[in-house]
Amino acid sequence: MAILVFAENVNGVFKKPTFEALSYATAIAKNLGTEVHAVCFGKVSDDQYKSLASYGASKIFVINHSSLSQFIGPAYASGIAAVAKQTQAQIIVIPQTYNGRAVAPRVAVKLDASMFSGVTSLVTKSSNGFEVQRSAYSLKAIENLSTNRDKLVITLKSNAYKLEKNEASGIVENFAFEPSAKDLALQPKQVIKASSKISLTEADIVVSAGRGLKGPENWGMVEELADLLGAATACSKPVADVHWRPHHEHVGQTGIQISPNLYIAIGISGAIQHLAGVSASKNIVVVNSDAEAPFFKAADIGIVGDAFQVVPALIESVKKYKTSH
Amino acid sequence: MKILVCISHVPDTTTKIQFDAEGKALNKTGVTFIVCPYDEFALSRAAELKEKQGANVTILCVGKAEVDPTIRKAIAIVGDQAVRIDAEPLDAFYVAKQIAEYAKSQNFDLIMFGKESIDFNGSQVSGMVAELLDLPDVSFATSIDINGKTATLTREIDGGKEELTCDLPLVLSAQKGLAEWRIANVKGIMAARTKQIQVITPVDFPYYTTTTKLSQPPAKQGCIYLKPDETDKLVQILSEKGAI
Ligand SMILES: Cc1cc2nc3c(=O)[nH]c(=O)nc-3n(C[C@H](O)[C@H](O)[C@H](O)COP(=O)(O)OP(=O)(O)OC[C@H]3O[C@@H](n4cnc5c(N)ncnc54)[C@H](O)[C@@H]3O)c2cc1C
Ligand SMILES: Nc1ncnc2c1ncn2[C@@H]1O[C@H](COP(=O)(O)O)[C@@H](O)[C@H]1O
């Protein structure tokens, strides 16, 4: 038995969601008395393998196949399941990125496993079988879910588990895997990069703005604040609907759901559908000129004021802070 | 072209979520149910494909009779026929198994889902159905165009979009962007009223997972208010909280 983590290689680099999944898997492995393995597609540099080892991977299975240098969901799922079968992995942990979410259900079916998605707690084992907590009803509920099956596929919510270094041996092994013709039915053509520098789902800090900003020409200060904080930018739905901002920035019930360490909401009223995507953020700062805006009920820190004064002032304060730290 | 759109019956987006006395299920009293908004993207794109190039569209929902009004809402947007598999949809694997059993003999060219249900938020059913049927699936699709037997799609990925092609048959899950939401017209609503919903008995299959408890997320401690000129203090508090 072992715990297997899908280590997602993004242009030769492993990122935070993968390290979170490894940290998480390592904590479960300690409780269950087993070890953590990683599976990745395509060769990467030795430093990159070392980074997987530093978060607890004792073995790293590398599937290096010429057809799989680009992500192809069904084929990756087959590869992950093949490693899981050979190593008799009992729990498969998959970061909840777009690609992670694409492969996970297929892996679950291939292994005839139970699947838990959007998981926010460690897996515990009792006489009832495995149990976890996850978020449900678009962040409006916490669900405890159990299964008495012996295999489990988990997608781990971003920012739900803190990074923990755990030096492990990280032995790199090539894993022979031949995708079938059906696995390769999808033909990736090209990737179009978004203009934003930091992807929303992995961002620690998100600076978000809504209709209160009046027009797209006023987003300069939002971007400047985000750049200073190393944050991703986001927006409310109507802002994306009228194309003030690109669709991939839209957060909420019908957009992306995020749970960063810090969410700064500027000129957003805090409609229930918006909160459904952001209310799990650890710290929420709301800037709104209307003291009655519902968002203040979900905020940790609120400033009732005009965004066009508060945001430039905040930019200056952050600059000052950065030069003194 | 034969299209299947699978829909889930979910609480309206404005619902205050509360639980039954045991804390194991949603308290449905006073809750309005709707077609999941992501499934509506799929329905709307199916309607466009039907208009532009001709298609026969089936709506499918796994649920008890209470979901019939929701199925009718979907038919009002698009739907030549509708099927309900008469079972409680308590687990994604179970739902996927039911859908796959129904679809395996129907030769659909395209099977569409929403990217996730807004109650369970699993993003599970579509990929599971695809795997059970041994079909390719494109998740988080933001566009699909079909030319003969080949589809060209765009899907959302972290940090951008990916373009890909695939021959039909194909499974997809709909992300915002796939189509503009359609509002059903009077003709659609009238037709939906009288349409027969075919009810099918589920196949025997266990529930793999069980909900043992539902609870409210921890409430915020209350908001600390700062004045508009106290941005230095804001930065200081955030720094103390380890937020920046
Ligand atoms: C099915 C459904 C799904 C939905 N999904 C989503 C979703 O995923 N995400 C989402 O965001 N919305 C969603 N919505 C829409 C949602 O209901 C709200 O309409 C939307 O969130 C409002 O956006 P907003 O806060 O930017 O705009 P508004 O509600 O117009 O709020 C603007 C705010 O800016 C403030 N303001 C104005 N001027 C200033 C200023 N100078 N300085 C500071 N503040 C100022 C105002 O006081 C106000 O509170 C959905 C709706 C439906 C029906
Ligand atoms: N009970 C159901 N009947 C039919 N389709 C469903 C059902 N539940 C979920 N789906 C479909 O599967 C998608 C993903 O659901 P989920 O895996 O629960 O997030 C939904 O958007 C629907 O398209």
Side-chain angles (χ1 to χ4, degrees):
Chain A
M1 183 212 155
I3 301 181
L4 181 65
V5 172
F6 169 43
E8 192 182 346
N9 160 0
V10 186
N11 304 320
V13 182
F14 299 113
K15 295 199 170 176
K16 192 171 137 215
T18 291
F19 301 138
E20 284 175 348
L22 283 168
S23 306
Y24 173 85
T26 304
I28 303 171
K30 281 183 184 156
N31 290 343
L32 299 181
T34 180
E35 58 181 19
V36 175
H37 300 161
V39 51
C40 64
F41 293 80
K43 266 204 161 46
V44 297
S45 71
D46 285 349
D47 276 356
Q48 286 297 315
Y49 291 129
K50 277 193 192 124
S51 70
L52 297 183
S54 74
Y55 285 101
S58 63
K59 272 190 193 159
I60 300 162
F61 295 98
V62 180
I63 295 176
N64 194 18
H65 191 284
S66 57
S67 306
L68 299 180
S69 53
Q70 259 180 297
F71 178 81
I72 301 176
Y76 275 41
S78 294
I80 295 167
V83 174
K85 280 186 185 151
Q86 191 183 301
T87 59
Q88 295 187 317
Q90 199 173 11
I91 302 177
I92 325 299
V93 181
I94 296 178
Q96 196 163 302
T97 57
Y98 282 104
N99 287 346
R101 292 166 81 184
V103 295
R106 299 196 76 121
V107 174
V109 171
K110 282 177 194 289
L111 299 176
D112 199 18
S114 277
M115 178 173 163
F116 293 159
S117 57
V119 168
T120 54
S121 78
L122 289 179
V123 176
T124 54
K125 206 177 174 187
S126 72
S127 53
N128 294 331
F130 291 120
E131 182 157 338
V132 296
Q133 264 188 3
R134 61 185 297 275
S135 73
Y137 292 97
S138 307
L139 306 177
K140 290 187 232 171
I142 294 172
E143 181 182 34
N144 286 55
L145 206 58
S146 74
T147 181
N148 50 23
R149 297 194 69 75
D150 62 350
K151 282 206 195 82
L152 204 56
V153 171
I154 284 177
T155 62
L156 177 68
K157 212 174 173 71
S158 292
N159 288 319
Y161 197 81
K162 61 184 184 313
L163 295 176
E164 271 170 359
K165 288 257 182 181
N166 269 293
E167 212 49 61
S169 45
I171 298 160
V172 178
E173 233 176 77
N174 273 318
F175 187 90
F177 167 72
E178 195 55 47
S180 69
K182 279 207 164 149
D183 281 340
L184 300 175
L186 295 182
Q187 297 179 339
K189 293 296 174 203
Q190 61 165 334
V191 165
I192 306 150
K193 279 224 166 72
S195 50
S196 39
K197 291 167 205 132
I198 298 175
S199 116
L200 256 178
T201 41
E202 19 178 286
D204 244 345
I205 305 180
V206 174
V207 180
S208 184
R211 229 163 22 185
L213 284 202
K214 314 283 190 285
E217 66 281 7
N218 295 326
W219 249 263
M221 60 182 188
V222 175
E223 286 179 340
E224 187 180 354
L225 180 60
D227 274 350
L228 276 171
L229 293 171
T233 47
C235 67
S236 66
K237 177 173 182 290
V239 162
D241 285 347
V242 297
H243 307 294
W244 291 358
R245 297 298 292 177
H247 275 304
H248 65 256
E249 284 197 0
H250 156 199
V251 290
Q253 179 113 48
T254 45
I256 300 175
Q257 280 153 34
I258 53 171
S259 45
N261 192 11
L262 175 59
Y263 184 73
I264 303 180
I266 303 161
I268 302 176
S269 57
I272 191 162
Q273 297 95 348
H274 185 85
L275 297 180
V278 304
S279 61
S281 309
K282 289 208 182 71
N283 297 287
I284 297 181
V285 174
V286 169
V287 178
N288 196 303
S289 52
D290 176 7
E292 301 296 316
F295 219 144
F296 287 114
K297 290 206 180 71
D300 296 286
I301 308 178
I303 297 186
V304 180
D306 182 355
F308 297 99
Q309 283 164 10
V310 177
V311 177
L314 181 55
I315 287 170
E316 290 314 310
S317 299
V318 174
K319 280 186 185 159
K320 251 196 286 177
Y321 170 82
K322 289 189 82 169
T323 48
S324 63
H325 282 76
Chain B
M1 183 164 53
K2 274 183 82 178
I3 301 179
L4 176 68
V5 185
C6 297
I7 61 158
S8 61
H9 160 88
V10 297
D12 180 87
T13 55
T14 56
T15 309
K16 287 231 152 49
I17 299 296
Q18 280 162 335
F19 314 110
D20 65 6
E22 281 180 70
K24 289 195 177 177
L26 178 73
N27 178 352
K28 295 181 185 170
T29 319
V31 174
T32 313
F33 283 84
I34 57 168
V35 178
C36 174
Y38 294 111
D39 307 351
E40 283 198 42
F41 292 129
L43 288 167
S44 303
R45 187 64 190 138
E48 291 170 2
L49 289 169
K50 184 180 158 99
E51 282 166 9
K52 283 202 197 108
Q53 45 206 101
N56 180 285
V57 181
T58 304
I59 309 286
L60 172 62
C61 183
V62 180
K64 304 300 279 183
E66 62 181 358
V67 308
D68 284 350
T70 303
I71 295 179
R72 292 198 192 282
K73 284 181 200 160
I75 302 173
I77 299 171
V78 62
D80 296 292
Q81 53 276 322
V83 176
R84 176 167 65 81
I85 302 178
D86 189 30
E88 287 283 1
L90 296 180
D91 167 69
F93 209 131
Y94 177 90
V95 170
K97 185 78 186 174
Q98 301 303 335
I99 295 173
E101 280 298 316
Y102 167 76
K104 73 180 185 196
S105 56
Q106 300 280 330
N107 297 316
F108 291 109
D109 299 292
L110 179 62
I111 305 182
M112 298 168 99
F113 294 85
K115 78 147 188 172
E116 70 184 66
S117 57
I118 62 165
D119 50 358
F120 190 72
N121 307 116
S123 289
Q124 290 178 220
V125 176
S126 59
M128 286 178 168
V129 170
E131 180 63 35
L132 288 166
L133 294 173
D134 203 10
L135 290 177
D137 73 309
V138 175
S139 39
F140 313 110
T142 54
S143 76
I144 179 169
D145 290 296
I146 295 171
N147 193 344
K149 274 281 163 202
T150 305
T152 305
L153 302 104
T154 316
R155 67 182 282 265
E156 184 124 17
I157 56 173
D158 284 288
K161 290 195 186 310
E162 179 190 357
E163 278 178 8
L164 36 106
T165 61
C166 187
D167 286 345
L168 302 177
L170 169 75
V171 172
L172 73 74
S173 81
Q175 168 72 310
K176 184 185 174 193
L178 191 72
E180 292 293 330
W181 279 330
R182 288 205 167 195
I183 306 199
N185 57 26
V186 176
K187 194 169 151 238
I189 296 167
M190 295 305 284
R193 265 196 211 158
T194 49
K195 187 129 307 173
Q196 184 88 29
I197 299 174
Q198 186 194 351
V199 180
I200 296 184
T201 311
V203 291
D204 267 341
F205 195 74
Y207 291 125
Y208 280 12
T209 62
T210 315
T211 301
T212 52
K213 197 176 118 206
L214 283 165
S215 51
Q216 305 283 352
K220 284 277 174 194
Q221 299 291 315
C223 182
I224 305 170
Y225 283 95
L226 299 176
K227 297 207 183 66
D229 59 4
E230 289 181 313
T231 51
D232 283 347
K233 193 165 168 197
L234 172 59
V235 171
Q236 187 199 329
I237 298 174
L238 292 176
S239 157
E240 281 160 13
K241 286 178 167 234
I244 57 172

